[in-house]
Amino acid sequence: RVQYVVIKEKGVKARAELVYVYGAYGTVTPIDWPYESWYPLLSRKWAIVFAMVRGSGDDNEAWENIARRDNRHIVVDDFEAIIRDSQRKLRLGADKTVIYGRSAGGLPIGAIVSRFPHGELVGAAFTEVPYVDVLRTSTNRSLPLTVGEFKEFGNPKEKILNFKELLSVSPMNTLRVDGAPGVFVLSRVGLLDKQVFAYESFKWIQKLRGYISEANANDKDPKGKYVTFERNESHHYRPHRMP
């Protein structure tokens, strides 16, 4: 059983939901996130759902360790299960469901978009500084955090099972040729980010729009896939920029 918390205004039937996920490093799910960040949605009759997936610090040590390295897909499986169950309880469809995650939480967000590219499960995804080019980044030891991340994501250059697992969940590697035509995606990045470089989102958003051929090379339609960037922000935005 994987737990989740639903927050909405008392007596309100939710008109839509935003489902939050992180699920990495044994980090506790922040249901105490600053209230002012969610109030604009709550006041419009939205529900905020916090997914306490395996890989998080919401239970014991075994809970956080079971989804590391060769079992990264567990985070994605748990997240999908929570989305489905919350939709059932709130009586909401895919078109009323938005998923959100930042940093390492961008992996399950991107993985869900890849699994259901035509909007079968969610209608929109919002990410901030998302870790989406996971396989390529994990094989590049020259990047500042790669070696330190082996405990969490594995070392795909030396262990074939780590390679196989990241290949199966890394958002950049799991998208189909036509991208994700049924999901609206917005990614927010900081151009000074040295933990998850902004280029990951730019690559991912382009791939989400679908394959570029000679026939459609001049097509400027963003296809509902956007990057917004903070020019002077790094991985952790300054507090006044968060809302």
Side-chain angles (χ1 to χ4, degrees), residues 21-66:
V21 69
Y22 188 71
Y25 307 109
T27 300
V28 174
T29 301
I31 59 173
D32 59 345
W33 193 288
Y35 179 66
E36 60 270 20
S37 294
W38 304 130
Y39 183 72
L41 293 178
L42 293 172
S43 65
R44 289 167 172 79
K45 300 183 179 181
W46 281 55
I48 311 298
V49 178
F50 292 91
M52 298 177 171
V53 299
R54 284 174 286 181
S56 70
D58 296 310
D59 203 307
N60 55 26
E61 189 174 353
W63 184 267
E64 63 184 66
N65 285 330
I66 196 172

Side-chain angles (χ1 to χ4, degrees), residues 204-238:
W204 181 54
I205 291 293
Q206 184 63 61
K207 195 165 185 180
L208 283 164
R209 292 173 179 168
Y211 177 73
I212 297 177
S213 65
E214 289 186 15
N216 64 9
N218 295 320
D219 184 4
K220 303 300 182 183
D221 181 4
K223 298 180 173 61
K225 314 294 185 291
Y226 299 94
V227 180
T228 178
F229 57 87
E230 302 293 343
R231 195 176 298 276
N232 298 310
E233 296 295 326
S234 56
H235 193 67
H236 299 284
Y237 306 139
R238 287 167 290 183

Side-chain angles (χ1 to χ4, degrees), residues 25 68-69 131 137-138 140-155:
Y25 307 109
R68 288 188 165 126
R69 297 181 295 279
Y131 191 27
T137 299
S138 295
N140 187 349
R141 298 178 72 101
S142 68
L143 295 174
L145 296 182
T146 294
V147 174
E149 299 288 276
F150 287 162
K151 179 183 176 183
E152 185 71 23
F153 295 100
N155 183 352

Side-chain angles (χ1 to χ4, degrees), residues 108-122:
I109 297 295
I112 287 293
V113 173
S114 290
R115 280 189 185 185
F116 305 99
H118 297 285
E120 309 97 312
L121 185 66
V122 302

